[in-house]
Amino acid sequence: MAKRVTGPEIEKLIQLLAKVPGLGPRSARRAALHLVKKKEQLLGPLADAMGDAYAKVRICSCCGNVDTSDPCSVCTDDRRDNSVIIVVEDVSDLWALERAGAMNTAYHVLGGTLSPLDGIGPDDLNIKGLIERVGKGGVRELIIAVNATVEGQTTAHYITDQLGGLDVKITRLAHGVPVGGELDYLDEGTLTAALRARTVI
Ligand SMILES: [Zn+2]
């Protein structure tokens, strides 16, 4: 067994940081060491910021976005065109589309995609909430902006089927989204082009 160089508190900090996307055990150790060395300038403010975020973070009951208010700042923004809803898999996709700034619409976060192999069915995703939203009326277009994976496309077809009887135009992202591509990794120009050239399903 390796000799212990730090106490359990710092060891725990390293273990938790290693679970953050983009950080492995090695980067986590470097980050932890940097934080404890910068105790006053960084570790303290970070601990406070995390405490605040923990206390205030909410999942929007309307669209599924993460925010500190429910409904979220996107849903309560009356300068948006709420008759168009962009359906995304994850909050990171919503944020990516907002960064691209191509559309000024409402969103709906599914929380994943249908994946029978992984045991993820319609009830595990925020699909019912979407159907209810559309069912209330006032929505003229649904842009299904899921990733170009088999699961993403299966999910798009399922949603289209479920909304069959409702008077809403359903479109999806056009070219520009590589097969298997994840929206979050696309540059803003590609995302904007894919949105503008969307096609009716
Ligand atoms: Zn919302």
Side-chain angles (χ1 to χ4, degrees), residues 87-101:
V87 181
V88 292
E89 287 181 30
D90 197 83
V91 174
S92 60
D93 301 323
L94 189 166
W95 290 9
L97 287 162
E98 281 294 288
R99 275 200 307 277

Side-chain angles (χ1 to χ4, degrees), residues 109-148:
V109 181
L110 295 171
T113 44
L114 294 175
S115 179
L117 288 178
D118 301 313
I120 301 172
D123 293 342
D124 300 307
L125 304 176
N126 192 11
I127 292 179
K128 210 171 140 229
L130 176 65
I131 292 161
E132 280 170 13
R133 262 179 103 178
V134 177
K136 280 181 195 158
V139 179
R140 65 184 163 89
E141 182 179 354
L142 214 61
I143 304 173
I144 302 189
V146 293
N147 295 328

